[in-house]
C-alpha cells in the first residue's frame, strides 16, 4: 500500500503515531540519501536547517519512492534511540536539540520508560515552553498513566491555546477529562475532535468509552463499531492490534448488555 501523504506540522494524529511518523521519516530520509551520496548523519543539515526540516524531506522522499507503509511500521517499531541520540549530539541550535529530545521522549514513552521520557520532554520545554507538540504528547502520556491528571490537562490546554481546532489536542484533553471523570467536559471535547477528524479510530474509541461510562450503551456500541470499521482502513503503519482487540471486546460486551436489557424490558412489559 503506498504511503499516505501527511504533513507533521498540520496533521492531527494521535500522539504516538505522530511521533512514529517523525522518527520513521527522518530515518528513511537518511537511508534514501545514503544511496545517493553515502550515509549522512541522521541530523544532517537540511534546507530548513533543523531536524524537523529533515523530517519533511523524509516524508517527501517516501512519497516519491512510493514506499510501502510497512516501511514506516518496521522503522517505528524498531524504537532506535541511537538515531535520536545521534541527532542530539550533532545538533547545534537549541531548536534542533529540542526536536531530538522530543523524539527521544517519544521513543522512551513507547518503551514504557516514563521517567526518561518525562526528562526529555521537560528538556524540550525548557527550550520552548510553548512547543505544542511536546505539551500535547507529555500531557497525553500522563493521562494514559492516570497520574497527575490536573497537570496533564494544563499541559494539553497550553497546546490547544495555540491551535484550538487541532483534533489530536482536543482528543487529548477530552481523554484527560474522561480520566478525571469529568464526563460532560470529556464528551464536549471528544465530540469536537470527532467532528474535526471523523475517521480517526482512536478518537472514536475514546468517545465510545465516554458514552459507555455515561450509561449510553447504544451510542457507545455504535461509536465503537465505527472505530473498528476505521481501523480496518488504517494503513499498516498506523494499525494498533491491541486497540482493535480492546474495541472488539467492548463491542461484544455491549451487545450482550443490550440484549439483556431488551429481554428485561420485554419481561417487565409482560408482567
Amino acid at each position: 500500500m503506498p504511503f499516505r501523504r501527511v504533513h507533521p506540522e498540520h496533521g492531527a494524529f494521535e500522539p504516538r503515531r505522530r511521533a512514529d511518523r517523525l522518527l520513521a521519516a527522518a530515518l528513511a530520509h537518511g537511508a534514501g540519501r545514503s544511496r545517493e551520496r553515502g550515509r549522512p548523519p541522521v541530523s544532517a543539515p537540511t534546507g530548513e536547517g533543523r531536524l524537523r526540516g529533515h523530517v519533511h524531506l523524509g516524508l517527501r522522499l517516501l512519497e516519491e519512492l512510493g514506499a510501502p507503509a510497512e516501511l514506516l511500521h518496521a522503522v517505528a517499531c524498531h524504537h532506535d534511540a541511537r538515531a535520536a541520540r545521534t541527532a542530539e549530539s550533532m545538533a547545534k541550535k537549541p531548536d534542533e536539540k529540542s526536536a531530538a529530545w522530543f523524539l527521544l521522549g517519544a521513543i522512551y514513552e513507547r518503551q514504557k520508560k516514563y521517567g526518561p521520557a518525562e526528562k526529555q520532554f521537560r528538556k524540550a520545554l525548557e527550550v520552548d515552553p510553548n512547543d505544542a507538540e511536546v505539551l500535547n504528547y507529555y500531557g497525553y502520556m500522563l493521562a494514559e498513566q492516570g497520574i497527575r491528571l490536573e497537570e496533564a490537562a494544563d499541559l494539553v490546554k497550553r497546546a490547544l491555546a495555540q491551535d484550538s481546532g487541532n483534533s489530536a489536542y482536543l482528543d487529548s484533553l477530552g481523554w484527560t477529562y474522561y480520566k478525571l471523570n469529568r464526563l460532560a467536559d470529556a464528551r464536549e471535547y471528544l465530540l469536537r475532535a470527532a467532528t474535526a477528524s471523523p475517521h480517526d479510530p482512536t478518537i472514536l474509541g475514546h468517545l465510545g468509552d465516554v458514552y459507555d461510562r455515561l450509561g449510553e450503551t447504544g451510542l457507545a456500541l455504535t461509536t465503537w463499531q465505527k472505530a473498528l470499521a476505521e481501523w480496518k482502513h488504517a494503513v499498516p503503519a498506523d494499525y494498533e492490534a491491541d486497540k482493535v482487540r480492546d474495541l472488539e471486546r467492548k463491542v461484544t460486551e455491549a451487545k450482550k448488555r443490550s440484549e439483556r436489557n431488551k429481554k428485561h424490558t420485554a419481561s417487565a412489559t409482560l408482567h
Side-chain angles (χ1 to χ4, degrees), residues 224-263:
W224 285 332
Q225 288 173 325
K226 288 180 181 177
L228 278 174
E230 293 300 336
W231 276 119
K232 291 180 181 179
H233 298 300
V235 296
D238 286 347
Y239 190 83
E240 296 184 56
D242 57 336
K243 288 190 175 182
V244 172
R245 286 192 297 269
D246 189 48
L247 279 169
E248 289 173 339
R249 176 187 59 79
K250 290 174 181 176
V251 165
T252 299
E253 292 176 355
K255 285 181 177 179
K256 290 179 179 178
R257 289 201 306 272
S258 181
E259 190 61 30
R260 285 197 299 269
N261 290 338
K262 287 180 181 178
K263 289 180 179 179

Side-chain angles (χ1 to χ4, degrees), residues 8-27:
E9 76 278 28
H10 296 139
F13 294 111
E14 186 267 333
R16 286 175 171 171
R17 294 205 299 275
R18 187 182 187 118
D20 280 349
R21 286 185 181 279
L22 290 173
L23 177 60
L27 295 179

Side-chain angles (χ1 to χ4, degrees), residues 201-219:
T202 298
I203 293 173
L204 291 170
H206 287 166
L207 181 58
D209 288 354
V210 172
Y211 286 141
D212 186 52
R213 189 172 288 183
L214 286 167
E216 300 179 23
T217 304
L219 277 175

Side-chain angles (χ1 to χ4, degrees), residues 178-195:
Y178 170 81
K179 294 280 189 170
L180 284 163
N181 207 36
R182 291 174 53 177
L183 299 183
D185 291 327
R187 180 174 184 164
E188 175 190 347
Y189 279 92
L190 287 167
L191 279 172
R192 287 172 59 187
T195 299

Side-chain angles (χ1 to χ4, degrees), residues 82-152:
R82 292 171 300 175
R85 284 290 186 195
T86 301
E88 177 188 16
S89 65
M90 300 191 66
K92 303 300 180 184
K93 298 179 181 179
D95 59 349
E96 292 173 343
K97 287 186 176 293
S98 177
W101 291 330
F102 169 70
L103 290 177
L104 265 175
I107 292 166
Y108 286 138
E109 188 273 340
R110 292 301 293 266
Q111 295 174 332
K112 302 186 184 302
K113 298 178 180 178
Y114 300 120
E118 183 168 0
K119 181 179 179 181
Q120 299 303 319
F121 291 146
R122 285 187 177 278
K123 286 165 63 177
L125 290 175
E126 286 177 5
V127 174
D128 181 3
N130 296 313
D131 189 316
E133 290 180 8
V134 179
L135 289 167
N136 179 60
Y137 202 126
Y138 188 7
Y140 188 82
M141 180 183 76
L142 294 177
E144 279 284 86
Q145 296 176 79
I147 63 172
R148 291 154 48 199
L149 293 173
E150 294 292 350
E151 179 183 350

Side-chain angles (χ1 to χ4, degrees), residues 166-179:
N166 188 301
S167 62
Y169 303 169
L170 290 166
D171 172 65
S172 293
L173 187 55
W175 190 235
T176 304
Y177 283 147
Y178 170 81
K179 294 280 189 170

